[in-house]
Amino acid sequence: MHRTKTLWSLGIIFLNSLLFIGCNSDKKGNSGGNAPSVRTYKVIEIKEHNITLENIYPASIEGEQNIEIRPKVDGFISKIHVDEGAFVKKGQLLFEIEAPQYEQDLRSARANIEIAKANVNTAEMELNKIRPLVERNIISNFELENAEFNLASKQAILVQANAQLTNAKANYQYTKIHSPVDGVLGTIPYKIGSLVSGNTPMPLTTVSNIGKVYAYFSLNEKQILEFGIHQGQLAEYLRNKEGIQLKLANGTIYPETGTIETVSGQINVSTGSISARATFPNSDYTIRSGSSGSVLIPQHIENNIIIPQSSTFEVQGQKFVYVVDAENNVQQKAVKVLSNNDGQNYVVKDGLVVGEKVVFEGVHTLRNGETINPELVPFEIKEAE
């Protein structure tokens, strides 16, 4: 009995405690203690700006001339006078090929010349001896004509011997291989003692004339349209562009500016792009043939809406911003931007008007329709010169 009363007392105390907690909770709810606070966000006012964008196109770089050095005669490499990567001058000796047959041919040709000359001299002497005899009718005119024909034959043999000598000299000279231009040597796959010929699969080396270099790159159709010009005007537009730069593979900007010299007239149907070539001076031979890099083409845009990239977020490939309305509520709005940018800002093609206010940063923490406390901040960009 005593135990029952004790349990009853504890139950009453427990119920009173629950009622007390409930009352306190109601008071807090009525006082608004859990009401969400309005967060502050920086916003910018949409204005028009001038900006310079850099259109970046991957490029392959080649020298002005890339000449394969191949032997014109068969033989063994006897001497190599240069090393890979060396700078050579036009006419500099590169290789010597051991080909004894050509030296023998040269000696034979020179000997044949001497024989032919002797035969001509003999024929001339014979003719000079016969001519006065014919004039005095001691011998017939037939003997004179026969001597003249013999001399003509010997002279023809001398001409032929001279031609053979010229050919033998040329073949012998081919055993010494010289550089055809100033340039830088490539790899040398064959070593001393290697048998080489005109049909050898690989060249002895290559000489790259890199006094100036060509950077080959391509523009796709979308990139062409974003220049804002008619496709037929692209070649003239690019050729007249100034300030063409080259970014090297290590990310540095080559100090010399270049020009765009050639642009293909039609879009390649298989790649959907147009090919172009930019030329850069390379007097100090900093750039080597076979390098890679990127061609940078400046694009000046004036009086256009520019927004910072931090103001945008992406949903299914579409970019959006949060526009702040008159009641300080944020509304999600789609925008179209140029694919090209300066790394910090976007050029807006459609979706915003001057005077609107958009959230500057922190857009990924917002919800559509949320009320914020906007803090207007200035938006500065590097203006185009």
Side-chain angles (χ1 to χ4, degrees), residues 15-31:
L15 290 173
N16 287 336
S17 298
L18 291 177
L19 290 173
F20 178 77
I21 293 171
C23 290
N24 284 340
S25 298
D26 290 341
K27 288 178 181 178
K28 289 181 180 180
N30 292 336
S31 65

Side-chain angles (χ1 to χ4, degrees), residues 4-5 10 19 32 38 59 61 116 122 139 143 150 190 192 216 221 229-230 243 253 264 270 319 340:
T4 303
K5 288 182 178 180
L10 290 174
L19 290 173
V38 177
I61 302 171
T122 300
I139 61 175
E143 297 294 335
N150 184 52
Y190 302 105
I192 292 177
Y216 294 90
E221 192 171 2
I229 59 173
H230 188 274
I253 302 297
S264 60
S270 60
K319 285 186 170 50
N340 185 30

Side-chain angles (χ1 to χ4, degrees), residues 181-192:
V181 294
D182 295 350
V184 177
L185 291 182
T187 58
I188 301 176
Y190 302 105
K191 307 307 177 186
I192 292 177

Side-chain angles (χ1 to χ4, degrees), residues 180-233:
V181 294
D182 295 350
V184 177
L185 291 182
T187 58
I188 301 176
Y190 302 105
K191 307 307 177 186
I192 292 177
S194 299
L195 176 63
V196 295
S197 69
N199 297 323
T200 302
M202 298 176 64
L204 300 181
T205 189
T206 58
V207 180
S208 298
N209 181 0
I210 53 175
K212 63 180 179 180
V213 293
Y214 297 138
Y216 294 90
F217 63 99
S218 299
L219 304 87
N220 61 43
E221 192 171 2
K222 182 179 179 181
Q223 292 168 330
I224 296 170
L225 293 173
E226 288 189 350
F227 278 117
I229 59 173
H230 188 274
Q231 183 177 321
Q233 300 171 325

Side-chain angles (χ1 to χ4, degrees), residues 75-346:
F76 296 92
I77 297 177
S78 60
K79 291 183 180 179
I80 300 176
H81 295 274
V82 289
D83 202 355
E84 297 175 345
F87 176 77
V88 295
K89 301 291 288 183
K90 182 178 180 180
Q92 182 174 337
L93 181 61
L94 305 179
F95 303 93
E96 289 187 48
I97 296 177
E98 183 180 350
Q101 68 273 24
Y102 297 110
E103 187 175 357
Q104 180 62 39
D105 290 345
L106 180 60
R107 285 198 295 265
S108 297
R110 284 172 174 164
N112 290 335
I113 288 287
E114 297 304 318
I115 294 172
K117 285 181 178 179
N119 290 335
V120 168
N121 290 336
T122 300
E124 286 179 342
M125 290 173 60
E126 184 69 19
L127 178 62
N128 292 334
K129 184 178 72 174
I130 292 175
R131 184 174 286 116
L133 297 176
V134 173
E135 290 174 352
R136 287 181 290 175
N137 294 319
I138 296 175
I139 61 175
S140 67
N141 194 55
F142 173 79
E143 297 294 335
L144 177 63
E145 291 178 352
N146 187 48
E148 289 175 342
F149 288 147
N150 184 52
L151 175 61
S153 174
K154 300 304 181 182
Q155 289 174 333
I157 292 174
L158 177 59
V159 171
Q160 185 180 35
N162 279 317
Q164 290 173 346
L165 177 61
T166 300
N167 186 57
K169 284 181 177 179
N171 287 335
Y172 183 71
Q173 288 174 352
Y174 290 150
T175 63
K176 300 181 186 299
I177 301 175
H178 301 79
S179 176
V181 294
D182 295 350
V184 177
L185 291 182
T187 58
I188 301 176
Y190 302 105
K191 307 307 177 186
I192 292 177
S194 299
L195 176 63
V196 295
S197 69
N199 297 323
T200 302
M202 298 176 64
L204 300 181
T205 189
T206 58
V207 180
S208 298
N209 181 0
I210 53 175
K212 63 180 179 180
V213 293
Y214 297 138
Y216 294 90
F217 63 99
S218 299
L219 304 87
N220 61 43
E221 192 171 2
K222 182 179 179 181
Q223 292 168 330
I224 296 170
L225 293 173
E226 288 189 350
F227 278 117
I229 59 173
H230 188 274
Q231 183 177 321
Q233 300 171 325
L234 179 66
E236 182 179 359
Y237 174 80
L238 292 179
R239 281 196 289 265
N240 291 331
K241 268 288 181 184
E242 297 180 353
I244 306 298
Q245 292 183 301
L246 180 65
K247 180 183 286 188
L248 304 179
N250 63 358
T252 60
I253 302 297
Y254 184 60
E256 300 279 357
T257 59
T259 57
I260 296 177
E261 293 185 344
T262 62
V263 181
S264 60
Q266 293 182 338
I267 294 177
N268 187 313
V269 293
S270 60
T271 63
S273 62
I274 281 179
S275 300
R277 187 188 77 195
T279 303
F280 295 87
N282 189 37
S283 56
D284 58 356
Y285 301 101
T286 300
I287 307 173
R288 297 298 179 94
S289 184
S291 303
S292 61
S294 298
V295 173
L296 310 181
I297 302 177
Q299 181 180 2
H300 303 293
I301 296 177
E302 298 183 354
N303 301 324
N304 209 107
I305 292 175
I306 312 294
I307 60 172
Q309 294 183 6
S310 60
S311 294
T312 68
F313 61 98
E314 194 167 308
V315 178
Q316 296 182 348
Q318 174 66 58
K319 285 186 170 50
F320 292 85
V321 296
Y322 279 118
V323 176
V324 184
D325 62 19
E327 288 75 32
N328 294 337
N329 298 321
V330 294
Q331 304 297 331
Q332 182 176 300
K333 195 172 186 181
V335 293
K336 292 182 179 180
V337 300
L338 293 182
S339 60
N340 185 30
N341 59 80
D342 65 355
Q344 296 179 330
N345 307 292
Y346 287 126

